[in-house]
Amino acid sequence: MGNLAEVLAEPIVPFAVLLLVILTVPILFERFKLPGLIGLLVAGVLLGPYGLKILSTELPMMKLLSDIGLLYLMFVAGLEVDIKQFKRRKNRSMGFGFLTFAFPLSAGILVGRLFGWDWNASILIGSLLASHTLLAYPIISRLGVVNNEAVVVTIGATIFTDIGSLLVLAVCIAVHAGDFSITNLIALILALAIYTAVVLFGFDWLGRLFFNKIGKEEGNQFLFVLLVVFLASLGAQLIGVEKIIGAFLAGLAVNEVVGEGAVKEKVVFVGSVLFIPIFFVDLGLLIDLQGFLKSILSFAFPATIVFALLGSKFLAAFLTKLIYKYTNQEMLTMWSLSIPQVGATLAAALVGYKAQLINEEVLNSVIVLLLVTATLGPIITSRVAVGLPTSSAEPHTEPDFEVGETLSLDQTFTVVVPVYNPSTERHLIEMAALFAKGHSGQIIPLVITVPHGSNMDIPELETALKKGELLLEKAKELATTLQVSCQSLLRIDDSISQGIVRAAREQKANLIVMGWGRRRGFQARLFGNLIDGVLWDTHCPVAVSRLLIEPQQIQRVLVPVENLGEETVRLLKFAEALGNSGLSIKILHLCDRSTSEKGMIWIQSQLAKLTEEKTAKNAARIEIEVRRGQDIVRQILTASESADLVVLRATRYRTAAGLAVSDITNQLLDRLNCSVVMLGEPPHLREFY
């Protein structure tokens, strides 16, 4: 037993407990349709000093990991701000941003004064209400209304509200620390202005320089991004403000440099599966359950905070509607999008609590505010954003299916087919041939050989080259049988994925057709796989297929769609491009159970409009079905029983304030019993993941 006691005293034990909690608790809570975030908070309460006393906020390991999680939370908040949307309607975004910042700030100050707080603490309470988190972005993206001007303005306003609330926090903490004077306040504001400019412009410039000239490898880019986060945080502390301000500004600074690429996914993934969940567990450790229940049951303060937020955000949206002549529906959408309080609010509240500027009652009320608004906002958005017009937004050019290189008069439609497995080669060539013949194009079977080391004169390389030549000979024979033009390509490269990307770019490919990769899930997300490497760096769409029958035998195609925008158009065009004159395509859209009959009719009409205006005029029969349903995976699996092929969109790991959300595509891939093709698009064609 002595050995057991020694083992339990090891610092690694609390870390193992944290990993177990992060791995299991969110899954259990999501099974009961509860957010995983609540599960992490509950786990912290149960394991903390007010519960089983297994974990403590005083542990050095806990302090370090929680601090990193807090910084990561704010960094991700800055990284996921859509700078392009802000630039599209900069003036109106700043106008709404000012209103949806100023009114909640004033309302929070009033609430603080009514409940006996001094001016400084009241201003901090007001700043907690001033920001907002775009939790409902996936909903408006799914409804295809992202380009509505009111939505664009609300997205852009996030920058103004988040920066404003964090700057107010910095001033309040500085005043609370003592030695306050007008001179010191002016000096602090001046230092903040200089520091903000240095971070936003300096790190942006440095990032572009590093990524373009030095950081060619993803690992180096990943380390650079992490270094930026911590340098910016340390810089904030040097001028006397909270480090979370530096982390948020760092996210904004490298936002456009990182873009929607593999580096961003890895940065967000590491935070969302490890550091940010640890931060929420640590937050739970601070909660005294008896005190929390007492705060809620006292009702007055948390209820007043919630109503002050809802009322002030509504007033801001209403005035914006009057100023910019928006409709009532657009006003309600702006209001619902600006309600949720998660990232910046929670981080600022924790900083204020640790600085003893606010007490446990306010922290508990902020947690209640988080739970209420994170639930209420998306629900309202899902109801009021249905049917939102997009004509007021700037026109958005929808690329054709043959994206990547624009076809010139002398350019041939080209499909690149990497082949490496003799057992799947035939089906891949057949599918590539269908697309090429439909566009009077050509296929390029491709074999990539990666030598071990720099020595090119080794037996292993010769063997690999001969194997590749045999694969290409077989591909040529198949192409001749299928009556499609074919040019084979054998390439030596230092990376299979980069070899495919480079060859596709050199050949001006319009499409890459690949076989199925085996590695998915945690390992693939952390280390990446062949498909990831191709998808993130290629210039054209990638069709990843698992075919159980020959492509020519495909008659019934199921296309589950989530968004009512260009993604759906491209999926449908892809299905139509299979070229079978007797093809039957079923479009399946699953909406929330709360969707009204009127909403379902609107969705049906939007899908019908898309299929009529945007798709090819061939003989494919198209059926549209809109269903209500909670279990999306089960509904798609049921519908797939009568299909030969399911066409899916390659959706990525989504986050909401840095917390991972389950990936429906991954669940389907493991359970579908028919052929599957997953259409992946390079980052410049996607607006959201």
Side-chain angles (χ1 to χ4, degrees):
M1 293 300 293
N3 291 335
L4 178 60
E6 291 178 7
V7 170
L8 292 177
E10 288 288 331
I12 200 173
V13 172
F15 186 66
V17 172
L18 281 173
L19 292 181
L20 181 63
V21 167
I22 294 169
L23 180 64
T24 59
V25 171
I27 296 175
L28 292 175
F29 270 68
E30 287 173 1
R31 288 281 177 88
F32 294 99
K33 309 300 180 183
L34 294 172
L37 180 151
I38 297 178
L40 295 173
L41 290 173
V42 171
V45 173
L46 295 178
L47 298 175
Y50 302 104
L52 299 176
K53 297 181 173 61
I54 296 177
L55 298 176
S56 170
T57 56
E58 300 303 317
L59 292 171
M61 177 271 301
M62 199 71 196
K63 286 184 177 180
L64 174 63
L65 295 178
S66 179
D67 278 351
I68 294 175
L70 178 60
L71 295 180
Y72 236 110
L73 180 68
M74 294 310 300
F75 173 70
V76 169
L79 195 63
E80 294 193 333
V81 169
D82 197 327
I83 302 292
K84 292 180 180 178
Q85 295 282 37
F86 174 74
K87 290 179 178 178
R88 285 178 58 191
R89 285 287 184 267
K90 181 172 59 177
N91 294 333
R92 294 194 173 194
S93 292
M94 292 181 66
F96 176 62
F98 173 77
L99 293 175
T100 199
F101 171 82
F103 284 115
L105 176 68
S106 303
I109 294 173
L110 180 60
V111 170
R113 295 298 293 165
L114 286 175
F115 282 85
W117 291 94
D118 61 31
W119 278 103
N120 196 35
S122 298
I123 292 173
L124 176 63
I125 293 172
S127 73
L128 299 180
L129 308 185
S131 63
H132 63 264
T133 305
L134 293 171
L135 285 185
Y137 190 100
I139 296 173
I140 59 173
S141 178
R142 185 174 68 244
L143 293 173
V145 296
V146 174
N147 288 323
N148 178 272
E149 184 183 287
V151 172
V152 172
V153 166
T154 308
I155 294 170
T158 309
I159 297 179
F160 190 96
T161 59
D162 283 0
I163 291 180
S165 62
L166 290 176
L167 293 181
V168 172
L169 168 70
V171 173
C172 290
I173 295 294
V175 171
H176 182 69
D179 299 326
F180 172 72
S181 67
I182 297 297
T183 303
N184 290 341
L185 179 61
I186 293 174
L188 175 64
I189 294 175
L190 182 61
L192 268 172
I194 296 173
Y195 165 77
T196 300
V198 169
V199 171
L200 291 180
F201 298 106
F203 281 131
D204 177 64
W205 172 81
L206 188 61
R208 295 181 189 277
L209 177 66
F210 184 87
F211 275 51
N212 292 334
K213 297 185 177 181
I214 303 173
K216 301 298 183 183
E217 297 295 327
E218 288 181 7
N220 292 334
Q221 295 174 353
F222 178 83
L223 292 175
F224 173 82
V225 170
L226 291 186
L227 182 61
V228 165
V229 178
F230 295 113
L231 286 179
S233 302
L234 291 174
Q237 288 184 304
L238 285 176
I239 66 169
V241 298
E242 281 301 319
K243 51 184 178 286
I244 63 172
I245 297 174
F248 179 77
L249 292 176
L252 290 178
V254 300
N255 189 303
E256 291 189 279
V257 175
V258 173
E260 297 290 348
V263 175
K264 177 179 177 180
E265 177 172 342
K266 286 179 172 60
V267 169
V268 174
F269 173 71
V270 170
S272 63
V273 300
L274 183 61
F275 295 118
I276 295 176
I278 289 177
F279 163 73
F280 280 101
V281 174
D282 183 60
L283 180 63
L285 299 179
L286 298 174
I287 298 175
D288 179 354
L289 188 57
Q290 290 183 342
F292 184 74
L293 294 176
K294 183 178 179 181
S295 297
I296 296 177
L297 294 175
S298 66
F299 189 73
F301 189 70
T304 306
I305 283 286
V306 171
F307 282 112
L309 173 85
L310 296 178
S312 58
K313 291 288 185 181
F314 181 85
L315 180 59
F318 179 74
L319 289 179
T320 304
K321 170 208 165 184
L322 297 180
I323 295 171
Y324 298 127
K325 311 300 182 183
Y326 293 140
T327 65
N328 287 332
Q329 185 183 16
E330 289 173 323
M331 176 198 70
L332 292 173
T333 302
M334 296 177 78
W335 175 57
S336 65
L337 288 173
S338 62
I339 287 175
Q341 306 290 303
V342 181
T345 301
L346 193 56
L350 186 61
V351 168
Y353 174 76
K354 290 185 175 179
Q356 298 182 341
L357 184 53
I358 58 176
N359 63 10
E360 187 176 354
E361 181 185 12
V362 178
L363 181 63
N364 292 337
S365 298
V366 169
I367 294 174
V368 173
L369 179 71
L370 180 152
L371 298 177
V372 171
T373 58
T375 303
L376 185 62
I379 289 176
I380 297 176
T381 301
S382 66
R383 292 176 177 271
V384 300
V386 175
L388 201 65
T390 57
S391 57
S392 58
E394 289 182 355
H396 182 74
T397 303
E398 292 187 1
D400 196 6
F401 170 69
E402 299 84 29
V403 289
E405 299 290 341
T406 302
L407 288 178
S408 59
L409 295 177
D410 59 346
Q411 184 180 332
T412 303
F413 185 91
T414 301
V415 183
V416 169
V417 194
V419 291
Y420 45 88
N421 186 345
S423 64
T424 61
E425 181 180 11
R426 181 178 182 86
H427 284 171
L428 287 177
I429 295 296
E430 288 176 345
M431 172 158 281
L434 281 176
F435 291 113
K437 290 173 69 175
H439 296 81
S440 301
Q442 65 173 346
I443 65 171
I444 299 182
L446 170 68
V447 171
I448 304 293
T449 300
V450 179
H452 297 285
S454 58
N455 188 0
M456 293 288 179
D457 187 22
I458 55 175
E460 291 84 356
L461 180 58
E462 288 296 327
T463 302
L465 290 173
K466 288 180 180 179
K467 181 181 177 182
E469 290 171 353
L470 290 174
L471 286 170
L472 293 178
E473 284 298 326
K474 184 178 179 181
K476 284 183 177 179
E477 294 174 3
L478 287 171
T480 301
T481 304
L482 297 169
Q483 299 179 336
V484 63
S485 176
C486 173
Q487 295 183 20
S488 61
L489 180 61
L490 178 62
R491 184 186 183 105
I492 299 175
D493 212 302
D494 58 359
S495 164
I496 294 179
S497 63
Q498 288 302 303
I500 295 171
V501 169
R502 291 162 184 157
R505 172 60 78 175
E506 291 165 1
Q507 300 298 323
K508 298 183 178 180
N510 302 93
L511 176 68
I512 299 173
V513 174
M514 297 180 63
W516 202 253
R518 293 183 177 275
R519 191 169 70 180
R520 294 199 308 275
F522 181 89
Q523 187 184 21
R525 283 191 176 119
L526 187 57
F527 300 108
N529 58 25
L530 176 62
I531 296 170
D532 288 332
V534 174
L535 183 58
W536 283 120
D537 292 329
T538 189
H539 69 288
C540 64
V542 181
V544 187
S545 60
R546 183 193 69 190
L547 299 177
L548 304 182
I549 60 175
E550 292 186 3
Q552 293 91 335
Q553 298 176 349
I554 295 173
Q555 296 289 325
R556 300 165 299 174
V557 180
L558 175 67
V559 185
V561 298
E562 182 182 16
N563 297 338
L564 304 183
E566 61 188 55
E567 297 93 342
T568 294
V569 173
R570 290 197 290 270
L571 278 180
L572 187 55
K573 286 187 177 184
F574 181 87
E576 285 187 318
L578 292 171
N580 191 330
S581 59
L583 204 63
S584 174
I585 301 174
K586 182 175 183 178
I587 301 174
L588 176 63
H589 178 87
L590 298 171
C591 51
D592 191 80
R593 286 182 178 178
S594 61
T595 306
S596 64
E597 288 293 334
K598 182 179 179 181
M600 292 182 66
I601 293 172
W602 178 82
I603 292 171
Q604 181 95 17
S605 67
Q606 289 297 106
L607 288 172
K609 184 178 179 182
L610 285 174
T611 58
E612 291 172 3
E613 295 181 355
K614 305 295 183 180
T615 58
K617 298 178 181 178
N618 60 21
R621 299 187 303 276
I622 298 177
E623 175 188 354
I624 300 172
E625 182 176 355
V626 179
R627 294 186 195 170
R628 292 192 187 98
Q630 194 70 29
D631 193 337
I632 297 176
V633 173
R634 180 176 296 178
Q635 296 260 20
I636 295 176
L637 289 173
T638 301
S640 70
E641 293 175 358
S642 58
D644 301 317
L645 173 71
V646 176
V647 177
L648 300 172
R649 180 170 175 260
T651 54
R652 283 285 178 177
Y653 208 61
R654 292 184 173 179
T655 61
L659 289 179
V661 181
S662 60
D663 189 348
I664 292 174
T665 302
N666 272 342
Q667 298 178 50
L668 286 169
L669 297 179
D670 292 328
R671 298 165 64 181
L672 283 168
N673 295 319
C674 61
S675 296
V676 181
V677 174
M678 186 172 64
L679 179 63
E681 299 166 327
H684 67 273
L685 292 178
R686 294 183 301 244
E687 292 185 354
F688 182 75
Y689 291 94

